[in-house]
Amino acid sequence: MLRTLLLSLTILHASSSFLFAQQLQCEIRVNYESIPSTHKDLLVNFESDIRDYVNNYNWGNDNLDEPIRCTMDIFMQNVVGENRYSAQVFVGSSRPIYNGNQTSAVLRLKDDTWEFTYVKARPINHNPYTFNDLASFLDFYAYLIIGYDYDTYDNLNGTPHFQKAADIASLGRSAGAKGWQPVTSGFSRLQLIEEILNARFAPVRSASYIYHFTGLDSLATAPDQAYRNILEAIRMIGDVKRTADARNQIIRVFFDTKYKELAELFVGYPDPKVFFDLATIDPTHQTTYEEYRKKQK
């Protein structure tokens, strides 16, 4: 697999014979401030249980030279039943930029509608055929993170993992679980994964590959061509957006993840029109693009 080959060729390790068994190295942070003190003892192991499950489960057959870096910031919102909770979750992932010492955010999103049952001392078990409001949520985002990462190294290479995420979303919808149903506004897991696997939005995923692999990864060695590729990726996404429903998720997630990086990339670029183009495609972050455009002067 291309990602595995690139990592093995470009990242030095203290021991070249050691390979990570894990696919994810995820930092889990849980905020309990909104939970009544009478319930906090029941959650004393929650953070470590989530961390162990996400980081220790084998999510695929690839032996990556370096696991995918990710974060889950979980803000517990309320106790909604016996051993049952609601939470808001911020999910993020990043990957290294080759020939450089930086990383690039690959995924950033906020999920406001997680409700789950957690029982202290009960293990979290992976079962791809049965919906569980705790394990299935973690499984969905694990596969989403891996799929997004793989797409940045090879065109549409994340599809098998996205399909697994889609299968989980389908189970959640069939179970009638909250957060897994179609919505008319706001973020939707179901809509995002359906768009990811929809051929209509395939150019957005291809643009991610062009942006990362032929753009960011080449900035240090072939900057002129790298910038042309990054601009081509932005153009591709803009073409899709012109005919997409205004409520689309996939393009919004891309720009919510990338807007700051894009603005910083083009400071000093000879054609400041790029900032106007970005604001046209991504008006949500127009203020940031304008702020960085002024740095050109």
Side-chain angles (χ1 to χ4, degrees):
M1 178 188 168
L2 185 55
R3 183 190 194 279
T4 310
L5 176 62
L6 285 170
L7 285 168
S8 63
L9 291 174
T10 57
I11 297 177
L12 297 176
H13 293 274
S15 171
S16 60
S17 63
F18 179 80
L19 288 176
F20 285 98
Q22 68 186 113
Q23 279 74 42
L24 298 177
Q25 185 173 323
C26 203
E27 185 174 356
I28 309 294
R29 297 179 289 255
V30 182
N31 184 302
Y32 302 98
E33 289 181 5
S34 297
I35 297 296
S37 57
T38 53
H39 289 79
K40 288 181 179 177
D41 182 61
L42 298 175
L43 294 163
V44 66
N45 296 324
F46 177 70
E47 182 177 292
S48 59
D49 286 348
I50 298 294
R51 182 182 301 110
D52 291 345
Y53 178 77
V54 172
N55 289 332
N56 294 337
Y57 184 75
N58 187 349
W59 300 103
N61 296 321
D62 299 310
N63 283 320
L64 304 183
D65 225 29
E66 181 178 86
I68 299 165
R69 307 272 181 166
C70 58
T71 58
M72 286 190 185
D73 289 292
I74 302 169
F75 291 82
M76 305 293 286
Q77 300 291 295
N78 209 347
V79 179
V80 295
E82 185 177 0
N83 296 314
R84 189 160 180 80
Y85 308 90
S86 64
Q88 178 187 78
V89 185
F90 292 83
V91 178
S93 69
S94 63
R95 52 96 98 191
I97 299 174
Y98 292 98
N99 300 303
N101 296 315
Q102 296 177 302
T103 60
S104 175
V106 174
L107 181 64
R108 294 282 185 274
L109 61 81
K110 179 179 72 170
D111 191 319
D112 287 321
T113 54
W114 186 24
E115 285 195 5
F116 60 92
T117 298
Y118 171 79
V119 179
K120 183 179 177 182
R122 178 184 294 176
I124 304 173
N125 294 317
H126 178 84
N127 186 334
Y129 307 109
T130 302
F131 180 76
N132 175 279
D133 51 23
L134 175 57
S136 296
F137 180 92
L138 300 174
D139 295 352
F140 176 85
Y141 278 112
Y143 289 127
L144 197 73
I145 288 166
I146 297 170
Y148 262 91
D149 185 85
Y150 280 22
D151 264 8
T152 70
Y153 291 95
D154 201 357
N155 190 33
L156 306 180
N157 199 38
T159 297
H161 290 91
F162 287 137
Q163 186 57 61
K164 290 179 181 179
D167 292 343
I168 294 165
S170 180
L171 287 174
R173 182 177 186 176
S174 298
K178 185 175 180 179
W180 299 95
Q181 308 308 310
V183 298
T184 56
S185 63
F187 174 73
S188 166
R189 291 169 223 146
L190 184 65
Q191 183 180 337
L192 175 60
I193 197 61
E194 286 179 346
E195 289 179 1
I196 287 171
L197 292 172
N198 188 327
R200 182 182 180 188
F201 290 99
V204 179
R205 292 177 56 194
S206 296
S208 179
Y209 161 68
I210 292 169
Y211 176 90
H212 291 93
F213 188 75
T214 71
L216 294 184
D217 287 344
S218 299
L219 277 172
T221 56
D224 291 344
Q225 185 60 52
Y227 272 107
R228 285 193 289 271
N229 291 336
I230 290 169
L231 289 169
E232 172 63 11
I234 295 168
R235 183 199 62 76
M236 291 169 64
I237 295 172
D239 286 348
V240 174
K241 185 174 182 181
R242 275 190 285 274
T243 60
D245 187 292
R247 289 186 53 253
N248 78 82
Q249 304 275 314
I250 189 172
I251 296 174
R252 186 176 74 178
V253 168
F254 178 87
F255 283 112
D256 282 351
T257 301
K258 291 295 187 183
Y259 75 96
K260 187 72 174 294
E261 180 177 85
L262 282 164
E264 292 174 345
L265 271 174
F266 287 103
V267 172
Y269 189 73
D271 184 3
K273 181 179 176 292
V274 66
F275 291 99
F276 294 103
D277 294 339
L278 285 167
T280 300
I281 299 171
D282 178 29
T284 301
H285 302 109
Q286 181 176 355
T287 301
T288 298
Y289 298 133
E290 178 62 15
E291 173 191 343
Y292 277 79
R293 184 187 68 82
K294 291 178 180 178
K295 294 183 179 182
Q296 295 284 80
K297 299 176 181 179

